[in-house]
Amino acid sequence: MNEDDVSFERKRPDVYGDAHPKALLRTIEEDGDFLLKLADQHIVSADQFNVETMRQLFRLAAKIESNPKRFSTPLKGKILISAFYEPSTRTRLSFESAWHRLGGDIMSITDRSTTGIAKGECLADVAEMFNNYGDCVVLRDTNAGSLFEMMDALRIPIINAGNGIDEHPTQALADMYAIFKWKPELLAEDNDVKVKIGIVGVPGKMRTVRSFLKCLAIFPQAVEELVIIHDETVTDELFADGQREELEAVGIKLSTETVMDDVLPSLDVVYINAISWEGDSFNTYGKEFHLTAKSPLKESAIILHPLARGEELSVDLDPTSHNWYFSQARGAVFLRMALLTCMVERAERVIDVV
Amino acid sequence: MNEDDVSFERKRPDVYGDAHPKALLRTIEEDGDFLLKLADQHIVSADQFNVETMRQLFRLAAKIESNPKRFSTPLKGKILISAFYEPSTRTRLSFESAWHRLGGDIMSITDRSTTGIAKGECLADVAEMFNNYGDCVVLRDTNAGSLFEMMDALRIPIINAGNGIDEHPTQALADMYAIFKWKPELLAEDNDVKVKIGIVGVPGKMRTVRSFLKCLAIFPQAVEELVIIHDETVTDELFADGQREELEAVGIKLSTETVMDDVLPSLDVVYINAISWEGDSFNTYGKEFHLTAKSPLKESAIILHPLARGEELSVDLDPTSHNWYFSQARGAVFLRMALLTCMVERAERVIDVV
Amino acid sequence: MNEDDVSFERKRPDVYGDAHPKALLRTIEEDGDFLLKLADQHIVSADQFNVETMRQLFRLAAKIESNPKRFSTPLKGKILISAFYEPSTRTRLSFESAWHRLGGDIMSITDRSTTGIAKGECLADVAEMFNNYGDCVVLRDTNAGSLFEMMDALRIPIINAGNGIDEHPTQALADMYAIFKWKPELLAEDNDVKVKIGIVGVPGKMRTVRSFLKCLAIFPQAVEELVIIHDETVTDELFADGQREELEAVGIKLSTETVMDDVLPSLDVVYINAISWEGDSFNTYGKEFHLTAKSPLKESAIILHPLARGEELSVDLDPTSHNWYFSQARGAVFLRMALLTCMVERAERVIDVV
């Protein structure tokens, strides 16, 4: 094996470049008060934030992404309890990377079967244990209610990193952060630009889509139209109770579509989800909703995907300018850095003017 | 979801307050020599310590608990090997939190099946590996002898974090630390106060109780009487060989009792253990020995429990002043911080006068 | 239990002493350029290095081993992704210890079943995730090809920590480092010393032996003769394609032997491998190739073993001067410290003159 076979380049593709976060950063004026308030909140749902808190979070994320080396110590001496009772390497490493980059220490739980919970210990007791051992908890659990059982007993903040089919709020924040980096004017005070967004998936059943829709409802002025692209077989259970009503109440124009290629040419943002887990309906889904470089996408359109992907998203899109899903994954680390810093009472270390 | 639904308070319940460790701290005069000597010892059994070493450990733990932020770097550059071949989140996180709070780094082994031991590697070879890779080992193993097999080959200290049904010495130290925080005068040089202690459990079979009794035998002057509260069915196997004799040899008055409520009104300290693992006898145990807010406890009595708890300890006791089991769990972190610092030759960084 | 039962000594056996790395250090003149170039390479195979790069790596390892405390911060702020999809505590902890000693942070993956890979995620996507989350990847996988699938998508360096039966290059570097520490003159510019090396094992099937042979082929002038000691039953499959030819092409005299004790008295270095995994042929192997203190070893001979060991290497050799396998394991940490520092663009922090 010679040197050429093992050499690699550290260069970044353009889409990851510095230009985008810096443009977003310039668009928003700092107001640290909204960040300081995050020290008293658990992160449970995508709709717990108001517009200004979100804008400030995106600003802080963009500030960190523009110059990560400046933010290597804000969490010094802080301990994260990374509790992934439902296995997930991707989300776990994203949070842990964010925490480590900020200078904090981590204790991981990666297997429910090794914990007291498996032996029937009540979650309030587990929460009490966490109070004593750490400064913040990140929790993923297949049981949607575990989060709420723990919350009441906690005196340190907890982040919902996916609770069953309910929500995954920081994923949705990362989704929005990608959109606003791509088009910062959507967040400007005097914005009159709007985008048409298509979501391939089942809002009633997918936690990432559920949280994403809640985030969109906070920025209705940025949405020209929202199209849910779904298979005919799930029409009846497409939305969960109240989900559609919430979006319409804030004035978002909502439509549904079963033929993806009919609507693709008009979309600015395509949000597509892993659909392989849908069991029996996989083949149908796979055939109908398969995005490739040959799909009739608008030239300027971007694709988002929470990853890991299945067959629904072809790798031939990776080298195209539609690929914002890698940027979305990368940005998630900076978004989480911003959020975590605020949650453990260290916002004053990263705010410009206190 | 609105802000109120997700807000929380960082305030601590009174029982965790600063008053108690500070009172204990004032009671004991520092003598660092006893702490420096811990650098040459493995921690194997609760009876390896003499009175003065324990007093100094409790003093150091109280000093750390009184002002944890002062002690964020003593273990900088030190690596802990956290080897939990028998699964345990609670004890593992307690040790790892202690180590991280002191500024050290950690490598965890949480699964025996992934190690050479599973393939038949001898423990002396594992110990030799540990010598090269870390500065301290914390070991839990269902096999009581693993600890001793490793010890002979180690040139770095090892802590027994539970070896089968044998011992769990740092748990017992944490138990004693809770008692002395509650009533510091028990540790005073001129002490003439004594307490009556009841233990619900089977000393011959439970490692936490075994280690706790060994600790009590080191402070006989603090014990007015010791009552073992047990189910009639285990009378024959209540004590292990020599266990009863050891206690009586140091002058501790020992009695046994099968009806808990008969003795409760006279007890100052009630030490109750998880009993759910007793298999067939669970129902009987659960019925007979179930502590609740309605139990006939002395008003000033405190309850200790090594946790995790089962049905034997009702959650309705949590908000009462009897609840010292949460303080006990919290204090265990500080106790371990004190011990670990001394074991890896960093005592001089935390002693006031060297 | 009294103090004597639990006391231990921190002293190191002579073989681990400071003398050897210092002698090696003095033998080689620093040329940092070769180390700086390692920042653009993945570590895939033992034959990717040239002579001078290896010499400089061994020099740096010896410098670190001579005074480890001087090198506690070069990786500050850097994150290692320690991905052991094939379980291995020994190699994992060796890498993690090296990284921690240099001041870096670590995220571990110890179980393939908890990752997206188990769900069919492509390795290029996993690599893209790693790009975003860490600064270096250490990978062990039973599938020899996983490494190559990841490499193409990586913009951070990856180290092969064992890929199926293919290679384990850092183990081989550690093997060579042990040999050169033992006899630094082998690395001197004007060297005319040579050693006779025996390898007990099957070069075609064992990744540690494969990588070790590739390293030897880089230093042919140090090898008087190379003897492969093997069981008669594997004669046909002893070498993989081209393996023998590679060695002979660089002028290494190669022979094979089936009776170990016939050749032992002439060997300077005996490299023996765990052979217990050979299934049916275990008994034969165990009987024939069992090194003990009674084996007819040259008085000055050293034994190397990649560990963990089985019955092939008797513990009665541990206290003898033949035991260099413990030194080899210990040195592996320093060798990896040297390599890792260079790979993540921090060589200039450890080079004397930049």
Side-chain angles (χ1 to χ4, degrees), chain C residues 52-70:
Chain C
E52 194 52 33
T53 303
M54 280 205 171
R55 291 179 81 245
Q56 292 299 322
L57 269 176
F58 298 141
R59 185 189 185 281
L60 180 55
K63 187 164 81 170
I64 297 173
E65 186 168 1
S66 299
N67 191 357
K69 286 181 187 164
R70 255 189 70 197

Side-chain angles (χ1 to χ4, degrees), chain B residues 172-330:
Chain B
L173 289 174
D175 302 340
M176 299 304 288
Y177 178 57
I179 293 173
F180 293 132
K181 264 196 296 184
W182 162 67
K183 215 178 255 306
E185 55 267 40
L186 291 172
L187 265 191
E189 301 277 2
D190 55 351
N191 170 43
D192 57 0
V193 184
K194 284 171 184 288
V195 290
K196 186 168 173 182
I197 299 174
I199 295 177
V200 186
V202 183
K205 283 172 151 189
M206 296 167 165
R207 66 186 172 202
T208 51
V209 177
R210 289 168 70 95
S211 290
F212 181 56
L213 290 181
K214 290 189 169 189
C215 273
L216 286 181
I218 295 172
F219 296 95
Q221 79 287 355
V223 184
E224 184 197 319
E225 187 181 346
L226 182 61
V227 188
I228 307 297
I229 301 156
H230 66 98
D231 188 79
E232 280 175 15
T233 59
V234 293
T235 308
D236 291 344
E237 40 186 358
L238 192 57
F239 292 99
D241 279 0
Q243 215 173 13
R244 178 166 207 148
E245 291 72 15
E246 264 178 45
L247 290 160
E248 291 173 342
V250 295
I252 288 181
K253 190 180 155 194
L254 188 68
S255 62
T256 64
E257 178 61 66
T258 57
V259 182
M260 185 170 76
D261 285 4
D262 283 359
V263 71
L264 273 187
S266 70
L267 296 176
D268 300 298
V269 176
V270 184
Y271 185 106
I272 188 164
N273 219 48
I275 51 183
S276 54
W277 56 268
E278 282 285 329
D280 291 347
S281 56
F282 169 71
N283 287 329
T284 313
Y285 267 69
K287 224 183 291 174
E288 297 284 338
F289 303 131
H290 189 55
L291 266 185
T292 75
K294 289 186 181 145
S295 295
L297 288 157
K298 211 187 233 192
E299 201 188 321
S300 61
I302 64 167
I303 300 170
L304 299 180
H305 191 299
L307 304 177
R309 69 172 140 193
E311 292 182 28
E312 72 282 352
L313 180 62
S314 171
V315 294
D316 67 6
L317 281 160
D318 292 3
T320 73
S321 63
H322 301 302
N323 172 3
W324 271 71
Y325 37 90
F326 284 168
S327 177
Q328 175 191 11
R330 179 175 154 80

